[in-house]
Amino acid sequence: MKQNRKGLLLVVSGPAGVGKGTIDTALIERNPTMKMSVSATTRKPRPGEIDGVHYFFKSEDEFVKMIERDEFLEYMHVFSTNYYGTPRAFVEEELELGHDVILEIDVMGAMKIRESYPDAVLVFIAPPSMSELKSRLIGRGTETIEAIEKRYEVAFGEMQYMDKYDYLIVNNLVDLAVRRMECIIEAEKCKVARSEALINRLLGGNSEL
Ligand code: 5GP
């Protein structure tokens, strides 16, 4: 029986270098109706990053105007230098169409979403260990030692929020992490609390088999 319902809002956080982007990309590839929200940011593109694909790259002026027009579901001044925000329209439209939407955002953004969308499912991607995370940050090779140290500090701070999430996935094997994400999504969709329409239809006197 087809279940008519809104999509699931999935919030994925985890420290830089933990591999959340790889997991989310694999999820989308395997589940074509699942959508990834593209955030807006004022930070400069890294080599290989494409406007409209990885982020919508904005000037500070443009970003502030978007805030004033209430165009963000949530936004954040991360590392006190750059703005990051989730454009509202895309997410709301896709959820209405019944598509699941992934937000890959920081812990503060996740806490804001929890307040405004209590139905959202929050997943934290953790490294197998802090030393492994440090090697992965160094392995990226795109940043200076100071920037890596700073990211490690921020990462450690973000890890303090793990217990505020609904699910915790350790990313030691990408395939396993993706499968766990899919299991979480399926289980969430089967929750009685999300099945009001189905329950009403089944108990609503329609005896068709
Ligand atoms: P990066 O600059 O490495 O792409 O991202 C830095 C941090 O900003 C990451 O933790 C990332 O998850 C977070 N981030 C990216 N987009 C958003 C967003 O729209 N909102 C919030 N709150 N954080 C975001």
Side-chain angles (χ1 to χ4, degrees):
M1 181 183 273
K2 177 119 175 47
Q3 300 184 14
N4 246 335
R5 61 167 104 222
K6 278 177 76 170
L8 201 69
L9 183 58
L10 203 71
V11 178
V12 178
S13 308
V18 80
K20 52 190 189 295
T22 312
I23 295 171
D24 292 339
T25 306
L27 250 184
I28 301 275
E29 273 171 13
R30 286 165 54 146
N31 303 274
T33 61
M34 210 173 271
K35 305 288 169 185
M36 187 86 197
S37 157
V38 178
S39 296
T41 183
T42 56
R43 89 149 158 74
K44 297 279 165 282
R46 295 197 186 108
E49 284 185 333
I50 301 163
D51 188 34
V53 175
H54 299 93
Y55 283 103
F56 293 107
F57 294 100
K58 303 280 176 197
S59 67
E60 194 160 323
D61 214 40
E62 287 171 320
F63 200 102
V64 170
K65 287 212 172 82
M66 288 177 76
I67 296 173
E68 287 165 1
R69 293 195 297 259
D70 195 25
E71 287 178 16
F72 291 115
L73 218 50
E74 60 77 39
Y75 69 91
M76 197 58 66
H77 217 166
V78 183
F79 310 142
S80 313
T81 48
N82 292 311
Y83 283 99
Y84 292 84
T86 307
R88 177 192 299 283
F90 175 83
V91 175
E92 292 186 344
E93 282 161 20
E94 292 296 334
L95 291 177
E96 276 306 321
L97 289 171
H99 296 154
D100 303 332
V101 180
I102 302 178
L103 308 185
E104 203 183 297
I105 61 177
D106 85 318
V107 292
M108 298 313 290
M111 297 302 109
K112 284 189 181 170
I113 294 290
R114 161 137 288 161
E115 275 171 34
S116 47
Y117 283 81
D119 274 1
V121 179
L122 273 57
V123 181
F124 195 95
I125 312 288
S129 67
M130 293 312 284
S131 57
E132 173 65 23
L133 179 67
K134 203 162 204 176
S135 348
R136 289 186 198 176
L137 283 175
I138 295 166
R140 263 188 176 192
T142 53
E143 285 157 315
T144 61
I145 294 292
E146 291 74 32
I148 290 167
E149 286 295 338
K150 172 81 183 154
R151 277 192 177 257
Y152 182 77
E153 245 174 64
V154 172
F156 199 69
E158 288 191 313
M159 304 276 287
Q160 312 302 314
Y161 285 81
M162 272 188 293
D163 63 354
K164 310 236 175 320
Y165 280 67
D166 299 308
Y167 296 94
L168 183 60
I169 295 180
V170 173
N171 185 22
N172 39 18
L173 280 175
V174 174
D175 285 351
L176 187 58
V178 173
R179 198 170 68 75
R180 287 188 171 145
M181 286 279 260
E182 287 174 339
C183 290
I184 289 167
I185 293 165
E186 284 309 308
E188 282 292 330
K189 287 184 177 176
C190 292
K191 272 192 169 168
V192 168
R194 291 188 197 276
S195 303
E196 198 184 345
L198 173 62
I199 291 171
N200 288 341
R201 200 158 61 223
L202 290 171
L203 299 180
N206 183 348
S207 59
E208 124 202 358
L209 286 176

